[in-house]
Amino acid sequence: MPLHRCALCHIDLDQVSVRRGGQLLLQDVSMHIHCGQLTVLIGQNGAGKTTLIRALLGEIPHGGAIRHVDSAGRDLAHLTTGYVPQHLSFDPEMPLTVTDFLASAFSRRPVWTGIRKSVRARVAEALADVNAAGLGDTPLGRCSGGELQRVLLALALHPAPDLLVLDEPVSGVDRNGLKMFLDTVTHLKETRHMAILLVSHDLRLVREYADHVVLLDKNVLAQGQPEAVFSSPAFESVFGTGAEKTVPPRPDVLLPEMLLTDTPPAHGGAAHVHTARESEAPQPDVLLPEAPSAHGDAAHTHAAREGEKSRPAAGLSRIARITSSPRSKASAAPAADPGAEKEADR
Amino acid sequence: MENLYALMDTLLPFEVFRFSFMKNAFLAVLLLTPLLGLLGTMAVNHQMAFFSDALGHSAITGIGLGILLGLRSDLMAMLIFGVVWAVLICLIKQSGSASTDTIISVFSSTSIAAGLLILARGGKFARYSSLLIGDILAVTPEDLLSLAIALPLGVILWAAMYNQLLLTSVSPSLARSRGIHTRLVEGAFVVLVAVAVMLAIRWVGVLLINALLILPAAAGRNLARNSRQHAVFSVLIALFSGILGLILAYHQDTSAGASIVLVAAACYALSLLLRRWRK
């Protein structure tokens, strides 16, 4: 599958395949996970999402290549990965506080002999970073699903990862908890510029938060911006006819539609944003593996860049994007060039 | 050794410690119970109580095989077989071919059957029946020396692997993502437990060894709020049970191993009450 190149580093998955017990679990998965972006894996149960994560983490052998490369495709230093698993297998009655848990990863000194002040300070700082300050003395087994997710995120961020892999829990965390978690993740993405891969089952939140969506079913069925993937035929074939309409579009992409009903913009990037209404039209920035392209790679590259332009400016927090005035957002969106901003960030 | 006995006479001028076999038993309790108490914390948290029970049973096979192979030392035979058995259980468990309790049950019953088959040949099992209940009053100064070497070594190894094992017990995949070789860490832990169990089994017995490993840690867990408290309570309860059990056994003229375990069981019951009261 042709893939566009950004000006930044990324994790390059090239024809990754996993075979186990004679069964093909993943076949020729090619995708990029870009730094400074939230890439979300979606798909039905058994589509290979967890297998792909395990391959990324080096837990299982795989064919193809997974490389951490710069914009020119040159290999970068060893990939440091932070991982938030979907669930933990521990006994909830275990006398283990959140501080014990994090300190066991931050320090070599066995936690049953005590925890140094400096390590306690690091733990407190790590928890504060993910809006979990005050959880230090809570037993790990008493944390709610959302709290546990943030504690695991605090752990995954130390040492600072190049790639943050988040396996969203299927149950145990309510939507508010997930939103709070994703707000924190979005803030991290924007301030620390790491590549983030999220496996999510909540399509509504995927649509709201993702920068890049990959629809998986053993191989990549579609990938691109959320609106594009959600309105693709592949999405409909996986999740059923009309599934896309059951997922409300993200608040920021409603804006052009709202403007269309009030005062349609004469031109600009807002027109490039795919809305639910536009979804019936062919989507140029959906990368369909099987779809023959008359223009080859160049067409896809162009389409992807066009898609980039439609996104609001990177660096703005998600909360700001949702709560700021629609008109100011609409006028800001066309001018925003995430690629340029990211370059400046570097 | 004489100096140590003299020191004990000065510090513990009680009738119960008048005899050297009681002094030896007391020292053995001081050396064995802290290690078992520490290892027990992870065995309990890792839900491995049944595993250590199976390890205890494997001692019978170890001695049997030692006799067949002509090994002079029963302890060496038990240690070698116990370690091999522990690693085998661990490997099969990690392969995920069956549920953990099924695997452990298979190994446990196999080792008892194989041990009995060998030791009961020619109706000679009575000679080995002391292995079932143990005899802490039979500890010799040489045994104490080996325990004195094993305790610090065991604690050092335990300290070195603890954090990694803790992360592994919470989530193996999370631990692996942080560069922890989870199989190696789990393997090292089961080997350490096997060695501690085999060192203690002659004094506590196959039937009771697991209780000494699990009960103090289970009681400590009811009282503890964090890892440090768990370790401290577990070691203190193990020491308290060992010393009080030994004294009670002396006064009641009964099995020391059984008394120690019953005191530990009483501590567990008390800890349950305290836990409910605290809630």
Side-chain angles (χ1 to χ4, degrees):
Chain A
M1 173 184 294
L3 294 161
H4 75 276
R5 293 207 178 278
C6 76
L8 302 164
C9 57
H10 58 269
I11 292 93
D12 183 357
L13 282 77
D14 187 19
Q15 297 195 310
V16 172
S17 298
V18 174
R19 191 180 282 277
R20 205 171 227 197
Q23 254 194 321
L24 198 60
L25 303 180
L26 282 180
Q27 186 179 19
D28 297 335
V29 171
S30 295
M31 58 185 274
H32 287 175
I33 308 166
H34 287 262
C35 51
Q37 275 195 4
L38 176 60
T39 301
V40 183
L41 269 182
I42 58 170
Q44 298 282 34
N45 285 341
K49 303 188 292 290
T50 302
T51 305
L52 184 60
I53 282 188
R54 294 187 67 195
L56 261 173
L57 294 174
E59 273 196 28
I60 50 172
H62 60 81
I66 298 175
R67 295 160 62 218
H68 184 207
V69 293
D70 66 8
S71 57
R74 288 181 297 245
D75 284 303
L76 290 170
H78 170 72
L79 181 68
T80 305
T81 310
Y83 174 50
V84 175
Q86 191 182 59
H87 56 81
L88 301 179
S89 52
F90 74 110
D91 179 352
E93 292 300 314
M94 193 168 162
L96 175 74
T97 63
V98 167
T99 299
D100 286 342
F101 175 59
L102 293 182
S104 70
F106 290 1
S107 161
R108 292 182 71 86
R109 176 177 165 172
V111 291
W112 59 266
T113 63
I115 301 167
R116 281 194 201 93
K117 271 188 181 175
S118 58
V119 177
R120 277 190 187 278
R122 275 183 67 200
V123 167
E125 196 183 329
L127 287 173
D129 278 352
V130 295
N131 298 321
L135 280 183
D137 291 331
T138 309
L140 199 65
R142 299 256 173 91
C143 289
S144 68
E147 287 171 344
L148 197 56
Q149 224 180 5
R150 277 178 281 141
V151 169
L152 292 172
L153 182 60
L155 180 61
L157 293 172
H158 292 81
D162 304 306
L163 171 66
L164 182 61
V165 179
L166 313 165
D167 203 350
E168 184 184 274
V170 180
S171 59
V173 184
D174 59 19
R175 176 159 286 159
N176 280 342
L178 278 179
K179 275 181 81 79
M180 193 171 167
F181 179 73
L182 288 172
D183 283 334
T184 308
V185 168
T186 303
H187 178 71
L188 288 169
K189 177 191 80 178
E190 289 165 352
T191 53
R192 303 197 189 180
H193 206 71
M194 61 185 69
I196 303 173
L197 179 69
L198 167 73
V199 168
S200 184
H201 315 274
D202 192 323
L203 295 177
R204 192 167 165 175
L205 289 180
V206 171
R207 197 165 194 169
E208 191 176 335
Y209 284 89
D211 296 306
H212 188 79
V213 176
V214 178
L215 175 59
L216 201 68
D217 186 13
K218 306 282 189 259
N219 60 3
V220 177
L221 297 183
Q223 60 177 313
Q225 288 187 17
E227 296 309 308
V229 172
F230 274 60
S231 52
S232 68
F235 182 87
E236 204 167 86
S237 73
V238 170
F239 293 102
T241 308
E244 184 265 341
K245 292 189 172 53
T246 65
V247 185
R250 53 205 281 177
D252 49 356
V253 296
L254 276 174
L255 301 176
E257 196 174 40
M258 288 159 63
L259 288 172
L260 278 171
T261 53
D262 293 342
T263 320
H267 58 83
H272 291 279
V273 179
H274 301 296
T275 63
R277 188 174 295 171
E278 286 173 299
S279 66
E280 285 155 25
Q283 305 304 319
D285 57 349
V286 184
L287 301 178
L288 293 169
E290 282 84 21
S293 165
H295 308 288
D297 289 10
H300 287 282
T301 306
H302 173 72
R305 282 184 187 148
E306 284 292 304
E308 286 277 309
K309 283 180 191 170
S310 68
R311 238 182 293 140
L316 289 173
S317 80
R318 177 73 55 189
I319 301 168
R321 259 185 264 169
I322 293 168
T323 54
S324 60
S325 127
R327 283 184 192 281
S328 66
K329 287 304 306 161
S331 58
D337 184 347
E341 287 209 9
K342 283 169 189 167
E343 275 296 303
D345 283 348
R346 293 180 90 196
Chain B
M1 205 65 202
E2 290 306 318
N3 292 341
L4 192 60
Y5 288 158
L7 184 67
M8 286 178 74
D9 284 334
T10 313
L11 294 175
L12 303 163
F14 307 113
E15 196 256 334
V16 64
F17 297 119
R18 202 156 39 98
F19 301 104
S20 56
F21 68 84
M22 282 302 288
K23 288 191 180 84
N24 288 342
F26 178 75
L27 289 171
V29 163
L30 289 188
L31 291 170
L32 261 179
T33 51
L35 183 59
L36 291 175
L38 277 179
L39 295 180
T41 56
M42 192 54 77
V44 167
N45 288 337
H46 220 49
Q47 297 172 347
M48 288 172 67
F50 198 22
F51 168 78
S52 51
D53 202 31
L55 264 186
H57 294 160
S58 75
I60 300 176
T61 323
I63 290 184
L65 284 177
I67 291 167
L68 280 185
L69 298 172
L71 286 179
R72 281 188 190 172
S73 159
D74 284 352
L75 179 63
M76 194 50 71
M78 284 194 296
L79 276 174
I80 293 171
F81 185 73
V83 167
V84 169
W85 210 233
V87 171
L88 262 179
I89 296 177
C90 198
L91 285 177
I92 295 181
K93 188 180 111 170
Q94 284 169 347
S95 73
S97 53
S99 70
T100 306
D101 59 341
T102 306
I103 292 164
I104 292 173
S105 183
V106 167
F107 272 75
S108 180
S109 39
T110 307
S111 61
I112 292 177
L116 282 177
L117 194 81
I118 301 167
L119 296 179
R121 279 191 315 168
K124 291 177 187 165
F125 185 73
R127 197 191 294 174
Y128 304 102
S129 59
S130 65
L131 190 67
L132 295 179
I133 49 172
D135 185 7
I136 202 162
L137 304 181
V139 172
T140 64
E142 290 74 34
D143 295 329
L144 287 175
L145 184 67
S146 61
L147 288 178
I149 296 168
L151 174 70
L153 273 179
V155 172
I156 289 169
L157 277 173
W158 177 234
M161 72 173 75
Y162 183 82
N163 283 2
Q164 296 192 338
L165 195 57
L166 184 68
L167 284 174
T168 304
S169 75
V170 171
S171 169
S173 57
L174 176 68
R176 280 192 290 272
S177 78
R178 301 190 69 83
I180 295 171
H181 200 308
T182 53
R183 287 185 173 209
L184 193 68
V185 172
E186 282 186 319
F189 175 60
V190 296
V191 167
L192 190 55
V193 172
V195 170
V197 164
M198 294 311 160
L199 282 177
I201 212 154
R202 282 183 301 166
W203 323 126
V204 190
V206 169
L207 297 177
L208 297 174
I209 181 65
N210 198 46
L212 203 55
L213 186 73
I214 300 301
L215 277 175
R221 187 175 134 120
N222 285 335
L223 305 174
R225 292 174 195 271
N226 56 44
S227 296
R228 186 177 198 180
Q229 286 181 4
H230 193 192
V232 169
F233 285 140
S234 182
V235 168
L236 289 179
I237 292 168
L239 273 169
F240 173 76
S241 309
I243 295 168
L244 185 61
L246 192 62
I247 294 170
L248 287 176
Y250 176 81
H251 286 298
Q252 299 299 318
D253 193 18
T254 187
S255 158
S259 299
I260 292 170
V261 169
L262 279 179
V263 173
C267 289
Y268 178 75
L270 197 64
S271 73
L272 264 184
L273 289 176
L274 280 171
R275 182 190 158 111
R276 287 199 173 183
W277 175 72
R278 204 168 60 186
K279 274 185 176 176

